[in-house]
Amino acid sequence: MPKFRITMSQKSDGQKVEKIMEGRELQTVITVAKMIFEEFEDIEVEEIQSIYDRQIISSVLPTGREVELQSFSFHLTYENMIEGEPDREGNQQILDFLKRKFEKDEVPTYIHQPSEHVINNELPLFYGIAYWKCYKKMEPEKWSSELRVIWFMESVDQINFRELIGTSLLGVDWEKYSVRYDPRDL
């Protein structure tokens, strides 16, 4: 439940007092605070973000659906290459490995597929793995959904972290690739 900080002044000496109150919405807390603390004046109420609220990285999809990041990692594309230069065969092995890596996992994985030209030559230097969840109800099933996204990046220099993560969702059809589940089953 959201928490609210109530700041007010005592009518007698003007001394500031702070109280913390839980409530569902701001307007209700303001109304209740004025009734409970009638001996105070200049009552101000503000919502306090919880640790959960502060750690959320979210993105809004073109459909309006809001998804939240659960985890993220990025890797060197050629981190296991011992010698030689990238070629089509080696690049295809990397893509096949990424497809197989999460096969047994119940979370579906969407891979931003590089173009044939890129596969034939050299993949971008990095790939990212982002695990996204949507806790908003999906119609008509009213279930939540989740999707793991793998995408390639040429550089991670001087990129805003939130922008970097957000690029994982570009062009992804969430409704098509995500898996739906009933949160009551958890």
Side-chain angles (χ1 to χ4, degrees), residues 9-172:
S9 303
Q10 290 184 344
K11 289 182 180 176
S12 59
D13 61 7
Q15 184 177 355
K16 292 276 187 190
V17 175
E18 275 190 10
K19 300 280 184 182
I20 303 296
M21 178 183 282
E22 290 184 349
R24 294 209 181 274
E25 57 184 33
L26 177 64
Q27 196 54 50
T28 303
V29 173
I30 291 171
T31 302
V32 170
K34 287 181 179 178
M35 290 188 311
I36 294 175
F37 303 113
E38 60 185 31
E39 70 273 11
F40 293 90
E41 58 188 2
D42 301 325
I43 297 176
E44 295 177 16
V45 180
E46 65 178 331
E47 187 171 354
I48 303 170
Q49 285 190 328
S50 70
I51 188 69
Y52 178 75
D53 294 330
R54 292 193 322 255
Q55 73 181 6
I56 288 182
I57 295 174
S58 63
S59 187
V60 178
L61 303 173
T63 59
R65 176 178 306 288
E66 184 175 355
V67 294
E68 296 176 0
L69 182 69
Q70 300 299 303
S71 65
F72 164 74
S73 61
F74 73 93
H75 310 267
L76 293 166
T77 302
Y78 297 106
E79 66 188 345
N80 293 322
M81 181 181 265
I82 298 171
E83 60 181 24
E85 292 293 319
D87 60 11
R88 178 169 181 67
E89 184 181 337
N91 291 341
Q92 193 58 56
Q93 287 175 353
I94 291 170
L95 293 171
D96 292 343
F97 165 76
L98 291 173
K99 286 176 189 172
R100 288 189 317 271
K101 185 174 183 170
F102 300 105
E103 274 181 349
K104 291 182 174 49
D105 195 335
E106 292 182 11
V107 177
T109 300
Y110 175 83
I111 299 176
H112 285 276
Q113 195 67 27
S115 69
E116 281 300 313
H117 173 74
V118 170
I119 293 172
N120 287 333
N121 293 291
E122 185 177 286
L123 295 172
L125 295 176
F126 302 95
Y127 68 91
I129 302 173
Y131 172 42
W132 296 92
K133 272 196 174 189
C134 175
Y135 293 107
K136 307 288 186 213
K137 304 287 188 214
M138 296 179 75
E139 297 298 334
E141 296 89 354
K142 298 203 181 296
W143 288 358
S144 298
S145 56
E146 58 190 353
L147 180 64
R148 178 181 298 106
V149 179
I150 299 175
W151 79 109
F152 292 89
M153 302 162 276
E154 193 56 54
S155 171
V156 292
D157 295 342
Q158 299 179 355
I159 287 184
N160 176 300
F161 180 74
R162 287 181 187 267
E163 289 174 19
L164 175 70
I165 300 299
T167 62
S168 74
L169 294 168
L170 293 176
V172 174

